[in-house]
Amino acid sequence: MIITFATQKGGTGKTTLAIAFANYISAISERNINVFDFDYQKSFYQKWKEDEELDLPKLYDVETIGEEVEQPFSDFETILDLKDNDDINLFDLAGTLDAKYSDLLIYSDFIIIPFEYSDVSAKSTLVFVSFLGILESQSERIFIRSKYDKGYKYLNQEGMDAEIKKYGTLIKSPVFKRNCLQTIDTRKLTYEQKYAVKNSFNEIITCINENLDTNI
């Protein structure tokens, strides 16, 4: 199984949500979890390395890819093996459009796309969706509202929601803007962090289970 966190717009909390999701499913799933940090900044991997100093067990390993690798899936069997095995293979992609990851965007089982209701994020999200269409991506798309401020009235929310629903599943429960998520590590979720993401993540897990007729 391949689950990819990706979007064109940086700053939407993509890596934070990827870490939180990896931590969350590690607590509820009996499957092996493998994480691949393909973001240029390597924030997931660097945080995972820093957390080696914590007196807590590893939940998963994190691998990276060198910038000199032009086509990480030139051997097509590699991506098929990741897709077909029982492990949960979670990818964190760069917040930009890069053709060298096209195979991953085409053959992921699910692409989780965090977005905000700012004009820039909204437009970038739709550009990214258009890019997936050009690639003829076979992946199921799951959209998740990130850094959502429940005290703010987003004027473009209704129109944005209607547009996004044309291209995939829009998770009903947003991830609210919470300070506790700024201190996340790769070894655990605190009670506050789990509370912040559990409704959204449970919806995502239900969507995955129903689409693949499986149990994550």
Side-chain angles (χ1 to χ4, degrees):
M1 179 190 305
I2 299 176
I3 302 173
T4 299
F5 280 75
T7 182
Q8 185 195 358
K9 173 71 172 62
T12 58
K14 173 181 60 63
T15 296
T16 297
L17 290 179
I19 293 173
F21 189 74
N23 292 1
Y24 191 82
I25 58 177
S26 70
I28 65 172
S29 178
E30 295 182 357
R31 299 174 186 248
N32 292 325
I33 299 168
N34 310 306
V35 176
F36 302 86
D37 186 352
F38 281 13
D39 196 336
Y40 299 122
Q41 297 178 353
K42 302 290 187 293
S43 299
F44 199 139
Y45 177 77
Q46 290 172 7
K47 184 59 183 166
W48 179 74
K49 291 295 290 183
E50 290 174 7
D51 293 341
E52 289 180 344
E53 298 180 4
L54 299 176
D55 189 21
L56 292 169
K58 283 194 307 183
L59 301 178
Y60 43 77
D61 289 319
V62 180
E63 297 183 31
T64 62
I65 184 172
E67 294 182 10
E68 71 282 357
V69 179
E70 296 182 3
Q71 203 65 35
F73 299 110
S74 55
D75 178 4
F76 193 60
E77 293 299 321
T78 300
I79 198 166
L80 288 184
D81 286 344
L82 291 173
K83 186 177 178 70
D84 292 339
N85 68 36
D86 290 333
D87 291 355
I88 297 173
N89 299 293
L90 191 151
F91 287 81
D92 182 23
L93 288 194
T96 185
L97 303 180
D98 193 325
K100 77 178 184 178
Y101 300 127
S102 59
D103 287 339
L104 183 60
L105 293 173
I106 291 170
Y107 294 107
S108 291
D109 293 291
F110 297 90
I111 299 176
I112 299 177
I113 307 170
F115 73 96
E116 300 177 85
Y117 286 114
S118 69
D119 287 342
V120 173
S121 179
K123 292 175 182 176
S124 296
T125 300
L126 295 177
V127 168
F128 182 63
V129 169
S130 297
F131 180 67
L132 294 177
I134 293 171
L135 292 176
E136 298 183 353
S137 172
Q138 302 173 16
S139 308
E140 294 290 334
R141 299 154 197 175
I142 299 177
F143 298 88
I144 181 170
R145 305 175 182 97
S146 180
K147 300 181 179 179
Y148 189 82
D149 186 346
K150 60 183 176 182
Y152 184 80
K153 182 175 177 58
Y154 296 99
L155 298 179
N156 64 340
Q157 178 169 345
E158 185 175 343
M160 182 68 177
D161 288 355
E163 189 67 19
I164 277 179
K165 288 176 182 177
K166 297 177 183 178
Y167 303 105
T169 300
L170 174 60
I171 297 302
K172 294 179 181 179
S173 301
V175 174
F176 294 108
K177 187 183 296 184
R178 297 186 186 277
N179 291 334
C180 64
L181 293 177
Q182 303 306 311
T183 57
I184 197 166
D185 62 58
T186 63
R187 296 298 196 269
K188 68 183 185 309
L189 285 179
T190 66
Y191 175 83
E192 291 81 5
Q193 290 165 348
K194 184 176 181 180
Y195 181 81
V197 300
K198 68 175 184 178
N199 290 338
S200 303
F201 286 177
N202 284 342
E203 283 189 55
I204 291 174
I205 290 167
T206 297
C207 181
I208 291 172
N209 288 344
E210 290 178 351
N211 272 275
L212 295 183
D213 192 21
T214 188
N215 192 335
I216 201 171

